[in-house]
Amino acid sequence: MLRTVLRSGGALLKHSQRTVPGLWVTPVQQRWASSLPMNTVVLFVPQQEAWVVERMGRFHRILEPGLNFLIPILDRIRYVQSLKEIVIDVPEQSAVSLDNVTLQIDGVLYLRILDPFKASYGVEDPEYAVTQLAQTTMRSELGKLTLDKVFRERESLNSNIVHSINQASDEWGIRCLRYEIKDIHVPPRVKESMQMQVEAERKKRATVLESEGTRESAINVAEGRKQAQILASEGQKTEQINKAAGEASAVLAKAEAKAKAIKLLSEALTKQNGNAAASLSVAEQYVAAFSNLAKESNTIILPSNTGDISSMVTQVKYGLVCSIKNNKTSFPTFLCVKF
């Protein structure tokens, strides 16, 4: 029974489609009519699709995915809208930048139908309308930027185009998700000038890096010399301090040794036969001094009583005792003279 009803409904639908005058169907409707499903009373709508149904030429309802029933002859599937994300290739077009450079730019547009009713009745051809809107918006946005900013601000340019498209396509039930610029072609002469600019910029960077390297090298050398001089001066300072400390220790040791010698000599003179020992020592030195006369020089100065050894020894002893008592370390002058 159901099969008979379906067949009769399909035959009536075909007959009604043949009798519809051709003036009622626009070129866009003819394009969509080739892919429109027939009213077979029982219909199965695929997922992510919206079928717009008209009853007696007026909008009736939108079929949801799954099982649906329609009345033959009265109901007609007028539009089929895909709710998937649609990719539209925007053709290449020319645009003039803010600095009067002609560019050839193409792109890709990603959109989705949010309201099938508006997409069906709000605009004649949604795809064509969005494509034309994307092209005009692209030319408008490129006219606000210079050539250098077009390459640097592609992301902001894409977002501005998407925002402008969404403002205009809101009444069409279409939402633009994103827009991507594929290729940007510049005139050959402009491309050559850009290459020369890039080469000049690279040479400039190389020169700057080389000068910075030379400066760092000179600074390092100067710092090394400064540190070397500081270390050398510190070494000299330490050496002088150690040398002065050594000389002071030597002088102190000599003074202590001399003081001990004087002390021992004074103790020896106070003992028994100390004067005789001192006289003997002085006499020996006196004889040794006279034995060296006239060996280093021809000029000789002698005391008047050179042959009186006893008086000479007595005088030396007296002077030695007096110097010891007065804490002096010098001896009589005539004994200190080098003959």
Side-chain angles (χ1 to χ4, degrees):
M1 181 66 181
L2 180 60
R3 186 178 300 175
T4 304
V5 172
L6 292 176
R7 289 178 180 177
S8 61
L12 291 174
L13 181 60
K14 289 181 180 179
H15 179 72
S16 63
Q17 289 179 349
R18 291 193 189 100
T19 58
V20 174
L23 297 177
W24 293 2
V25 181
T26 63
V28 178
Q29 292 173 346
Q30 289 179 357
R31 186 185 65 181
W32 288 100
S34 61
S35 59
L36 293 178
M38 298 175 58
N39 184 358
T40 56
V41 181
V42 179
L43 299 175
F44 297 94
V45 179
Q47 184 67 32
Q48 289 297 98
E49 284 190 5
W51 292 5
V52 180
V53 177
E54 292 181 354
R55 176 167 292 178
M56 294 182 293
R58 186 178 180 181
F59 172 76
H60 176 56
R61 67 190 179 100
I62 298 175
L63 300 183
E64 299 294 335
L67 179 62
N68 293 273
F69 297 94
L70 294 179
I71 300 175
I73 302 174
L74 299 180
D75 294 338
R76 180 185 178 187
I77 301 173
R78 195 70 175 84
Y79 300 99
V80 175
Q81 302 292 352
S82 176
L83 303 181
K84 301 177 183 178
E85 186 173 342
I86 303 172
V87 181
I88 300 176
D89 189 10
V90 180
E92 186 178 10
Q93 62 176 338
S94 61
V96 180
S97 62
L98 185 61
D99 49 356
N100 297 325
V101 178
T102 303
L103 305 175
Q104 298 292 331
I105 298 181
D106 57 355
V108 180
L109 184 64
Y110 300 85
L111 54 88
R112 177 176 293 171
I113 296 177
L114 302 180
D115 190 344
F117 176 80
K118 290 183 178 181
S120 301
Y121 298 99
V123 62
E124 187 69 24
D125 189 348
E127 181 179 342
Y128 178 77
V130 172
T131 302
Q132 294 299 316
L133 182 59
Q135 289 180 340
T136 55
T137 306
M138 184 191 300
R139 284 193 293 266
S140 176
E141 293 295 330
L142 287 176
K144 302 176 183 177
L145 301 175
T146 59
L147 180 60
D148 295 335
K149 290 186 178 180
V150 169
F151 292 99
R152 289 198 303 262
E153 301 180 3
R154 294 183 66 168
E155 293 184 1
S156 62
L157 180 61
N158 294 335
S159 62
N160 292 337
I161 293 174
V162 170
H163 180 69
S164 300
I165 293 175
N166 286 332
Q167 285 183 342
S169 62
D170 185 51
E171 298 296 329
W172 304 340
I174 299 174
R175 180 72 177 177
C176 181
L177 303 179
R178 58 191 179 276
Y179 180 86
E180 298 292 339
I181 297 176
K182 290 197 300 184
D183 295 320
I184 301 177
H185 302 283
V186 298
R189 297 184 64 180
V190 176
K191 189 174 182 180
E192 292 177 2
S193 63
M194 292 175 63
Q195 290 285 12
M196 294 175 62
Q197 182 180 1
V198 171
E199 292 178 1
E201 187 68 23
R202 290 178 179 175
K203 290 181 180 179
K204 177 183 175 182
R205 291 180 182 177
T207 305
V208 171
L209 291 177
E210 184 178 359
S211 63
E212 289 180 355
T214 304
R215 185 186 67 178
E216 293 293 334
S217 176
I219 292 174
N220 292 335
V221 171
E223 288 290 338
R225 291 178 180 176
K226 177 182 177 182
Q227 293 295 330
Q229 291 178 357
I230 292 173
L231 293 176
S233 63
E234 290 180 354
Q236 291 179 358
K237 176 182 177 182
T238 304
E239 182 181 359
Q240 291 178 359
I241 292 173
N242 294 335
K243 185 177 180 180
E247 291 178 355
S249 299
V251 170
L252 183 61
K254 288 180 181 179
E256 290 179 354
K258 207 167 190 180
K260 289 182 181 179
I262 293 173
K263 183 178 180 181
L264 292 176
L265 182 60
S266 63
E267 290 177 357
L269 290 175
T270 57
K271 291 182 180 180
Q272 186 178 4
N273 298 324
N275 293 329
S279 300
L280 178 60
S281 177
V282 172
E284 289 178 352
Q285 294 180 7
Y286 185 81
V287 173
F290 269 93
S291 64
N292 293 324
L293 291 177
K295 286 186 177 181
E296 296 180 357
S297 177
N298 294 327
T299 305
I300 301 174
I301 300 175
L302 296 176
S304 59
N305 55 350
T306 305
D308 191 359
I309 299 176
S310 60
S311 62
M312 184 67 66
V313 171
T314 302
Q315 185 178 359
V316 171
K317 287 172 58 182
Y318 179 76
L320 179 62
V321 171
C322 291
S323 62
I324 291 173
K325 289 181 179 181
N326 294 329
N327 293 327
K328 295 181 179 179
T329 59
S330 59
F331 291 94
T333 306
F334 69 90
L335 289 179
C336 296
V337 175
K338 186 175 182 181
F339 297 97

